[in-house]
Amino acid sequence: MVERLALLFVIGLILIAVVWCSRWWARRRLGTLQRASAETLWRALEVVPDGRPVVVAFSSPSCAACRTTQYPVLRALEQKSTPAPRIIAVDVSKKPAAADAFGVLTVPSTVVMSSVGRVMAANHGFAPVDLLAEQVRLAAAGSASASR
Amino acid sequence: MATSADGRSGSGGLIGEGNPALPTYDVTARKAHQWAMVGLIALGFIVGGRVAAVPIAVAGAIMLLGRFWWPADLVRQIVWRALEPWGILRRRDAHEDHETRRVARVLGGGVWLVCALLLGIGLSVPAWLLSGAVALMVVLDASVDFCALCFASAQLDRRRAGGHRPVSG
């Protein structure tokens, strides 16, 4: 029994290390995205900026959570946020280059960008509407200060 | 209006149209349920032997039956009827993905019931490998909201897409 308790303790420590590493990786990934040139990101998305803050929503055909949960949140976000963000949906199976450019590992994933293409936030997994609305507000503020 | 990266926009886009209703869920009850299930698996592991099949079978039954028959969702019942009203746990409602979790719950409950059966007939190594893998997924979801099924399906989709990607350069 003592051996099993010790083994569980070690597994617990490994899990804590994994969680810590994943958070470190997420911060590092956001830093990398923030340093990436806006032009590269726009090119990967195959869109041109139109002056609005952007929410890039990554999904895949087999992602039930994208259809049933993340998309309704994005529709609500369009109605809730002022200014309304531009929402760009990316199917990672059709646009693997865009997923690579943004370092997407899982779906749903969302990336919030200012209108000038600066990445403000990256969310792995489902992102609730309040969180996205706050990130869009910061992105809009960031765009305004950048254009001054 | 949503725009897809394929250049489509509006009702033809991936996001779609309509005024959505965003249901909220009790995150506290969900996490209490998940940690309780992991606790049952850990208890089984510590006890060891064929007796370990009992807590694993209980966890599997709560997962599987509780998905389809709410009175069997014992931990949530305890949280809603006792722990939250008594102020031991504080209710936190949020809109989150429960569609994937429902599928994962059925799969995980089924696997744990099979593991209990395997332990009952003395096949402890595959039983602990399987139940440990499911418990690990539950821990990751409960602690950092990481969806292992979503990660696996996204990687599979990208591998499939990569197989058809034209070679460049």
Side-chain angles (χ1 to χ4, degrees):
Chain A
M1 190 178 280
V2 177
E3 295 90 351
R4 284 168 179 258
L5 268 173
L7 188 58
L8 268 185
F9 180 72
V10 171
I11 292 171
L13 285 181
I14 292 170
L15 271 175
I16 290 168
V18 167
V19 168
W20 186 86
C21 287
S22 68
R23 287 186 175 161
W24 171 82
W25 178 84
R27 282 197 301 272
R28 187 170 166 269
R29 175 188 166 230
L30 180 60
T32 307
L33 279 176
Q34 286 175 334
R35 284 191 299 275
S37 82
E39 194 185 332
T40 309
L41 298 177
W42 291 125
R43 201 183 311 124
L45 291 172
E46 297 175 21
V47 295
V48 288
D50 69 353
R52 286 182 289 168
V54 172
V55 178
V56 187
F58 293 94
S59 69
S60 70
S62 63
C63 174
C66 303
R67 288 189 301 276
T68 59
T69 317
Q70 192 65 73
Y71 288 175
V73 161
L74 294 170
R75 289 200 295 270
L77 182 72
E78 283 183 306
Q79 292 161 14
K80 183 177 180 174
S81 291
T82 311
R86 178 187 190 184
I87 294 175
I88 299 174
V90 177
D91 181 342
V92 297
S93 67
K94 289 182 182 162
K95 301 273 180 192
D100 287 339
F102 283 85
V104 171
L105 284 181
T106 187
V107 287
S109 279
T110 43
V111 175
V112 178
M113 297 162 71
S114 70
S115 61
V116 292
R118 177 174 161 76
V119 173
M120 306 301 284
N123 308 298
H124 311 277
F126 169 72
V129 68
D130 293 337
L131 175 70
L132 284 171
E134 177 62 15
Q135 291 170 346
V136 166
R137 191 186 65 75
L138 291 173
S143 305
S145 63
S147 63
R148 265 184 221 133
Chain B
M1 187 170 284
T3 309
S4 81
D6 296 332
R8 292 173 291 143
S9 63
S11 56
L14 289 169
I15 306 292
E17 300 286 334
N19 190 7
L22 301 178
T24 57
Y25 300 94
D26 184 350
V27 178
T28 307
R30 192 254 298 171
K31 294 205 175 204
H33 161 78
Q34 290 177 316
W35 285 117
M37 295 303 103
V38 172
L40 280 172
I41 302 303
L43 176 70
F45 184 74
I46 292 166
V47 170
R50 292 193 177 185
V51 189
V54 177
I56 293 181
V58 170
I62 292 173
M63 293 267 281
L64 204 54
L65 291 178
R67 164 67 186 90
F68 300 104
W69 186 51
W70 65 266
D73 203 352
L74 286 181
V75 180
R76 280 190 170 87
Q77 296 297 322
I78 293 167
V79 170
W80 285 331
R81 290 170 192 271
L83 300 180
E84 285 179 349
W86 293 346
I88 296 169
L89 291 177
R90 197 173 56 189
R91 185 183 176 107
R92 185 167 67 88
D93 287 302
H95 179 225
E96 56 178 18
D97 170 28
H98 270 233
E99 298 299 324
T100 314
R101 286 193 175 97
R102 286 185 187 120
V103 175
R105 179 173 180 158
V106 171
L107 292 175
V111 169
W112 278 343
L113 285 177
V114 169
C115 290
L117 197 67
L118 290 175
L119 278 172
I121 58 174
L123 294 170
S124 60
V125 173
W128 285 121
L129 284 176
L130 279 173
S131 54
V134 174
L136 177 70
M137 290 186 215
V138 178
V139 166
L140 287 174
D141 187 30
S143 56
V144 286
D145 292 333
F146 177 81
C147 171
L149 280 178
C150 304
F151 174 79
S153 78
Q155 292 302 315
L156 280 174
D157 278 340
R158 289 198 47 194
R159 295 276 184 283
R160 280 193 218 114
H164 300 292
R165 211 186 313 179
V167 178
S168 58

